[in-house]
Amino acid sequence: YTSSIRFGTATIKALIISSEYCEKVTGILPNNVDAALRACEHLSKRVKAKFYIINRKGSSFVWDGTNFEYADAPYSIKKTAEEHSFSNAIFTGAFAYMFFKSRNPSRAARYAQITTLFSASRADVMEHIPDAEEVNSYVRDNHIDLNYNCP
């Protein structure tokens, strides 16, 4: 796995990696703050990025090389989506959309968590990717501030 995560000398904006793949690449299971920081430091030696995001179902660990933050989806939507699969492709697309809109990686990660879990919680639809209006309505109707973690 070490050779599959090299990007030469270019610096990328955000490296988004699942906790499972992160463990395969670094040998570190990022299941707590200390382990996530060690995993990010390990990744930063291989890939130059402005932000490192370790993604888990319902939560993202966001590190900028100095500071870190957990970006969590609201508990209610995490609970609803518990039994469904998590799509990293949907997460990445939603993250990119909000990151380029806000330039805030934690806000983008929260938005992406909500979008991905919202799509996973739609058991009546085989593949449902919510559009921005659907997600924004959910955020607005539930009084969610994407700048902060929700209960």
Side-chain angles (χ1 to χ4, degrees):
Y1 291 103
T2 56
S3 63
S4 66
I5 192 163
R6 294 194 188 282
F7 293 95
T9 59
T11 299
I12 56 175
K13 292 281 184 198
L15 173 69
I16 300 171
I17 189 168
S18 70
S19 58
E20 296 84 12
Y21 192 65
C22 181
E23 182 181 17
K24 287 178 184 175
V25 170
T26 66
I28 302 166
L29 175 63
N31 61 348
N32 60 51
V33 172
D34 181 57
L37 282 170
R38 284 187 294 115
C40 285
E41 287 170 352
H42 191 274
L43 289 168
S44 72
K45 292 176 182 158
R46 294 180 175 186
V47 179
K48 299 298 177 211
K50 190 167 183 178
F51 303 104
Y52 298 84
I53 295 100
I54 299 175
N55 193 23
R56 295 182 312 192
K57 188 175 184 177
S59 182
S60 295
F61 184 84
V62 180
W63 185 62
D64 68 3
T66 305
N67 302 304
F68 71 88
E69 182 177 356
Y70 276 102
D72 293 325
Y75 176 76
S76 59
I77 197 165
K78 281 198 266 188
K79 187 71 177 152
T80 306
E82 235 171 34
E83 309 261 329
H84 302 285
S85 63
F86 187 87
S87 171
N88 284 314
I90 293 173
F91 180 92
T92 303
F95 179 90
Y97 166 78
M98 185 51 71
F99 181 75
F100 287 111
K101 217 173 152 183
S102 70
R103 298 291 188 211
N104 181 320
S106 295
R107 180 181 177 87
R110 281 186 197 90
Y111 182 86
Q113 287 291 345
I114 291 168
T115 303
T116 306
L117 294 174
F118 193 59
S119 70
S121 68
R122 298 288 301 263
D124 58 324
V125 180
M126 186 62 98
E127 284 187 31
H128 173 75
I129 301 173
D131 61 26
E133 183 51 41
E134 200 173 349
V135 176
N136 292 335
S137 292
Y138 176 83
V139 168
R140 185 179 52 252
D141 294 348
N142 289 280
H143 310 288
I144 296 170
D145 184 344
L146 293 172
N147 294 312
Y148 304 98
N149 284 329
C150 305

